[in-house]
Amino acid sequence: MRPLTADDLNPAILKVQYAVRGELAIRAEELREKLQADKHDLPFKKVISSNIGNPQQKGLDQPYLTFTRQVAALMEYPPLAEHVKGKWPQDVLDRAKELQEEIGSIGAYSHSKGVPLIRKHVAKFIEERDGYPSDPEDIFLTAGASAGVSLILNVLITPNVTGILIPIPQYPLYTATLAQYSGVALPYHLSEPDGWSTSLHEIEAALAKAEKDGVKPRALVVINPGNPTGAILDKRTMAELVQLCEKHSLVLLADEVYQANLHRPHTHPFHSFKQVVRELGSPVPLFSFHSISKGVKGECGRRGGYFECTNIAEDVRALLYKMASVTLCPPLSGQIGVDSLVRPPRPNEPSYALWRKETDTIHDALRQRTQLMAQRLNSLPGVSCVDSPGALYLYPKLELPDKAVEEARRQGKSPDTLYALQLLEETGICVVPGSGFGQKDGEHHYRLTCLCPGVEEYVSALENFHKGFLAKYGGL
């Protein structure tokens, strides 16, 4: 029998790249294994996973929210209610009972779009956030926002014909999914000198290039707040983007999973594209994505999220339902997490005080780490870093010595990959090279999370490595 080889597989799969879990992450796991040995020669005591927004990962250890976990525990094992009665807050017990009466066992499949009651709660959350009605029938619960993005791109793309406008730098989910479905990435560059702002001129230029290349643009992806940049769009820019989509008959994909990660909400508030579309009375087809993995919940492993359809025709929605049905339903544990996301304790409920304390503590820690890290990185020679007003990351720019660029070329790597690999080998800090997110030719960046505890020690290690790297390769 002839063995199965890579040549037998779908050739599109060979083009898929996902830098967040790429070469650096693989090497980090090898080093983590090596640290377990009684004797090792590594110059650090632990690997710090600053490459991925995974708040509760071992080593980052962001605390879970008590309310979320108590409801989840009662849903997993309903008899627990008798043991915690009088010990856990009554609103937790009431919430679990309500959900159990609707769902039954979470070991059973749900509706393919998600539990109807939870979709009603999502719609109410959106209405309260935006001030405009939301229909539960427009809500699809998903296994994290990524599954929703993948579903929508799958149905939008005609292989090797359809173009999707994506911001550069971008979250690698988009280029990876486009490669998987043989879509054409149409990059538009964000403006780093202007705080990673979105330029309509850049998008128009990308559209003109697509027309010249015979590619049919179908959708515009906007990540707000940005990943990896942390930039937050103002309403004027958002309105201009909606009008651009109208002009060019584009579907708008709004990745809004970091909407709760606001470090300066008074000066940089979040506004949803749903709200802007409704204010303008726009007919633009819009898919909006949200997740339980980010914000202050950080429940990445539960795989919970949703997308809302706005201005989407009924026959298109029916086709989306058909495709969602192929995977039967999103995980029930994730759906329960979504319910806790969109229905946190209210001020008059017993769980509220603790929930408020826990969420404020996490927000404060993320805000302080982000500001401290940006300040210290900007003090280094050859480094400039936008102080992100949102999300969970910083994306510093590196000016690297010519000798470092030459050495990277000799090794067949991008210069920022060389930098990141040496950072990992010398400090145990794992970051993602900017080449994995996209950047202008000749530029170098890396993305790191602001989730790491012990930030003083962490930033000191980054500083010492950077100075040593410049000395090693002859400075700037």
Side-chain angles (χ1 to χ4, degrees):
M1 176 180 173
R2 184 173 62 83
L4 179 69
T5 70
D7 291 335
D8 298 315
L9 305 181
N10 180 349
I13 300 300
L14 304 179
K15 300 177 183 177
V16 173
Q17 300 289 332
Y18 188 66
V20 173
R21 296 274 181 140
E23 179 182 7
L24 270 295
I26 293 170
R27 179 57 180 158
E29 287 305 313
E30 293 172 351
L31 293 174
R32 192 173 275 115
E33 286 290 325
K34 192 173 181 179
L35 283 171
Q36 302 303 313
D38 292 334
K39 294 183 179 180
H40 64 78
D41 57 355
L42 297 176
F44 47 84
K45 297 179 180 179
K46 61 181 177 180
V47 172
I48 300 174
S49 298
S50 192
N51 60 308
I52 188 167
N54 189 16
Q56 295 184 34
Q57 181 174 346
K58 187 176 180 180
L60 300 183
D61 303 323
Q62 177 175 299
Y64 53 76
L65 299 182
T66 302
F67 178 81
T68 297
R69 289 299 183 89
Q70 287 178 333
V71 172
L74 291 173
M75 293 302 297
E76 288 287 345
Y77 188 62
L80 181 62
E82 290 302 316
H83 298 279
V84 300
K85 191 175 293 183
K87 299 176 183 177
W88 284 10
Q90 188 60 42
D91 57 336
V92 170
L93 297 169
D94 293 343
R95 175 70 59 86
K97 182 180 179 181
E98 178 190 16
L99 291 170
Q100 287 160 6
E101 289 176 350
E102 169 77 11
I103 298 168
S105 171
I106 67 168
Y109 294 131
S110 75
H111 190 288
S112 293
K113 291 169 66 174
V115 174
L117 179 66
I118 297 177
R119 287 189 282 122
K120 289 179 182 177
H121 296 156
V122 172
K124 184 177 180 183
F125 163 80
I126 293 170
E127 287 181 1
E128 291 177 351
R129 183 194 66 191
D130 296 338
Y132 291 92
S134 177
D135 185 345
E137 289 304 310
D138 290 334
I139 307 297
F140 285 71
L141 302 186
T142 56
S146 298
V149 169
S150 181
L151 170 61
I152 298 304
L153 288 177
N154 186 14
V155 301
L156 288 177
I157 289 171
T158 300
N160 305 310
V161 172
T162 301
I164 306 293
L165 289 149
I166 58 172
I168 297 297
Q170 52 93 37
Y171 177 42
L173 165 70
Y174 291 96
T175 45
T177 307
L178 288 175
Q180 180 181 353
Y181 297 130
S182 299
V184 182
L186 305 176
Y188 65 92
H189 286 275
L190 305 179
S191 175
E192 186 170 9
D194 299 311
W196 295 113
S197 65
T198 299
S199 164
L200 268 69
H201 173 76
E202 283 280 344
I203 299 174
E204 292 281 7
L207 287 166
K209 185 177 186 303
E211 182 178 1
K212 182 180 178 182
D213 294 342
V215 175
K216 181 176 177 56
R218 181 150 301 155
L220 169 68
V221 172
V222 181
I223 308 174
N224 182 44
N227 177 10
T229 67
I232 299 175
L233 293 172
D234 59 70
K235 284 186 91 171
R236 181 181 62 81
T237 301
M238 295 172 73
E240 291 172 348
L241 291 170
V242 170
Q243 290 160 354
L244 180 143
C245 288
E246 286 186 28
K247 175 183 175 183
H248 294 281
S249 297
L250 296 171
V251 178
L252 180 55
L253 308 185
D255 182 334
E256 299 174 338
V257 303
Y258 296 99
Q259 61 186 262
N261 292 115
L262 308 176
H263 308 317
R264 301 191 291 276
H266 298 298
T267 58
H268 293 76
F270 168 79
H271 300 284
S272 75
F273 269 101
K274 164 74 175 292
Q275 184 185 62
V276 173
V277 164
R278 287 292 185 243
E279 286 180 353
L280 294 174
S282 172
V284 162
L286 167 68
F287 295 99
S288 306
F289 304 91
H290 198 12
S291 169
I292 67 172
S293 298
K294 311 306 177 186
V296 294
K297 289 181 72 69
E299 295 283 351
C300 303
R302 292 184 183 274
R303 308 313 299 135
Y306 71 81
F307 65 83
E308 183 188 23
C309 307
T310 302
N311 296 331
I312 304 299
E314 188 173 340
D315 59 340
V316 175
R317 257 193 2 221
L319 291 172
L320 292 174
Y321 172 64
K322 178 177 74 172
M323 294 303 296
S325 300
V326 172
T327 55
L328 297 174
C329 73
L332 268 292
S333 60
Q335 295 190 52
I336 300 301
V338 169
D339 193 77
S340 295
L341 170 71
V342 300
R343 279 204 304 165
R346 300 287 185 174
N348 61 339
E349 294 177 337
S351 295
Y352 179 79
L354 179 58
W355 176 86
R356 181 84 271 169
K357 179 182 177 182
E358 290 173 342
T359 55
D360 285 349
T361 298
I362 295 171
H363 278 303
D364 289 344
L366 291 172
R367 183 183 305 111
Q368 291 166 10
R369 288 175 193 157
T370 301
Q371 292 173 351
L372 174 64
M373 290 165 63
Q375 180 183 8
R376 296 275 286 274
L377 288 168
N378 277 316
S379 70
L380 290 171
V383 179
S384 59
C385 182
V386 174
D387 184 359
S388 303
L392 301 175
Y393 316 101
L394 290 172
Y395 195 60
K397 182 179 180 181
L398 302 170
E399 299 291 341
L400 298 179
D402 291 341
K403 288 183 179 179
V405 176
E406 292 167 7
E407 176 60 19
R409 188 179 298 116
R410 188 187 68 79
Q411 294 186 24
K413 300 183 182 300
S414 68
D416 43 24
T417 298
L418 174 75
Y419 183 96
L421 280 168
Q422 292 191 17
L423 173 67
L424 175 61
E425 297 288 345
E426 294 183 26
T427 68
I429 298 173
C430 183
V431 300
V432 188
S435 50
F437 297 92
Q439 54 196 347
K440 293 180 179 179
D441 290 342
E443 291 189 349
H444 319 296
H445 298 80
Y446 67 91
R447 188 192 78 168
L448 71 167
T449 75
C450 303
L451 293 165
C452 301
V455 66
E456 184 66 37
E457 177 185 359
Y458 169 63
V459 175
S460 293
L462 288 171
E463 290 172 330
N464 291 335
F465 166 78
H466 182 77
K467 292 172 184 176
F469 186 90
L470 293 186
K472 178 178 179 180
Y473 290 103
L476 294 175

